[in-house]
């Protein structure tokens, strides 16, 4: 979903749907309006990591649609992240902290959680990484994880091959490493970033790879 310099991916089947990340605070009206066209309720919300460009509209989405389960790790302690965690608790929504090897299903789709395998100092590297499979089609999402967690998933033998890759960290050169792209070998790549953004995303190095 177009949320500017941020991330929000909505996957829907005939009998279920998930939202991976929830855009920026500024995108809240557009995001809610988009989701209203397709669903009345969200089965799973997966928050890759507690940065504003990935969780900014999470509170608004949950208040509007609710969710059966929110998948999230630690770090939702203060600011926007703290307010979101407070809302989740107030709404009585179940939370889960996935670990590599965990699975979940929505409709005809299976979610496979791939990482992170360890605790990193960089919040981006602690992003939840996952693969969604629908029949013979697979999609890979890595939040803002950089080259270190990308390499770790390869070392741990994760099956990273996917038809579609959501480019890591908005097309940053610190993600989307050569060895990771070689393993995932996607046919399509989606880069979610804002036009003319201050970070220069997507970086030329990542585009070249």
């Amino acid at each position: 979903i177009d949320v500017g310099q941020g991330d929000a991916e909505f996957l829907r089947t005939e009998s279920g749907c998930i939202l991976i990340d929830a855009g920026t605070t500024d995108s809240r009206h557009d995001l809610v309006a988009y989701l209203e066209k397709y669903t009345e309720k969200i089965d799973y919300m997966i928050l890759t990591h507690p940065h504003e460009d990935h969780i900014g509209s999470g509170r608004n989405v949950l208040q509007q649609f609710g969710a059966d389960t929110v998948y999230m790790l630690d770090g939702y302690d203060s600011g926007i992240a703290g307010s979101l965690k407070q809302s989740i608790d107030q709404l009585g929504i179940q939370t889960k902290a996935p670990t590599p090897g965990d699975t979940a299903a929505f409709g005809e789709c299976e979610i496979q959680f791939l990482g992170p395998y360890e605790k990193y100092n960089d919040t981006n590297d602690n992003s939840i990484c996952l693969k969604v499979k629908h029949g013979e089609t697979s999609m890979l999402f890595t939040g803002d994880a950089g080259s270190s967690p990308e390499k770790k998933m390869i070392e741990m033998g994760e099956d990273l091959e996917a038809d579609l890759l959501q480019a890591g960290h908005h097309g940053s050169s610190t993600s989307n490493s050569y060895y990771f792209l070689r393993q995932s070998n996607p046919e399509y790549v989606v880069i979610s970033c804002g036009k003319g953004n201050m970070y220069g995303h997507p970086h030329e190095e990542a585009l070249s790879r």
Side-chain angles (χ1 to χ4, degrees):
I1 305 170
D2 182 1
V3 291
Q5 181 63 24
D7 262 329
E9 294 86 50
F10 180 63
L11 280 67
R12 179 177 68 121
T13 72
E14 289 184 0
S15 54
C17 66
I18 65 170
L19 182 69
I20 305 171
D21 285 334
T24 63
T25 307
D26 290 342
S27 67
R28 59 191 183 277
H29 298 302
D30 290 338
L31 181 55
V32 168
Y34 180 93
L35 293 172
E36 281 179 332
K37 294 188 292 185
Y38 296 105
T39 190
E40 296 180 353
K41 184 174 181 294
I42 292 171
D43 292 309
Y44 304 135
M45 178 184 281
I46 301 172
L47 302 172
T48 60
H49 64 294
H51 281 166
E52 186 273 342
D53 57 333
H54 291 254
I55 65 166
S57 299
R59 187 175 181 178
N60 305 81
V61 169
L62 289 174
Q63 288 174 342
Q64 179 77 17
F65 302 98
D68 288 338
T69 305
V70 175
Y71 287 90
M72 59 197 299
L73 299 178
D74 296 331
Y76 294 75
D77 306 316
S78 60
I80 292 171
S83 297
L84 174 55
K85 182 63 167 64
Q86 188 178 35
S87 290
I88 292 170
D89 293 340
Q90 289 173 346
L91 291 166
I93 297 172
Q94 174 183 239
T95 62
K96 286 185 179 179
T99 57
D102 287 353
T103 61
F106 69 101
E108 310 87 62
C109 293
E110 182 186 47
I111 303 168
Q112 301 173 344
F113 291 99
L114 309 174
Y117 267 92
E118 54 192 69
K119 184 76 171 177
Y120 297 92
N121 293 325
D122 188 333
T123 299
N124 286 332
D125 286 344
N126 290 318
S127 292
I128 293 173
C129 300
L130 64 143
K131 185 176 184 177
V132 179
K133 299 182 74 174
H134 180 269
E136 297 299 312
T137 303
S138 56
M139 296 154 279
L140 190 60
F141 306 90
T142 60
D144 282 355
S147 59
S148 292
E150 287 177 348
K151 189 173 183 180
K152 186 66 176 179
M153 286 187 285
I154 295 171
E155 291 174 351
M156 297 307 293
E158 292 289 3
D159 178 12
L160 299 174
E161 190 166 352
D163 299 289
L164 182 145
L165 170 67
Q166 169 78 13
H169 200 177
H170 319 283
S172 170
S173 61
T174 56
S175 304
N176 313 288
S177 54
Y178 170 74
Y179 39 79
F180 178 75
L181 292 172
R182 186 177 59 192
Q183 289 291 321
S184 55
N185 193 30
E187 186 172 356
Y188 303 100
V189 179
V190 178
I191 303 176
S192 182
C193 60
K195 185 177 181 181
N197 67 83
M198 62 186 287
Y199 307 101
H201 293 153
H203 290 153
E204 190 59 46
E205 301 94 320
L207 288 175
S208 176
R209 292 196 288 266

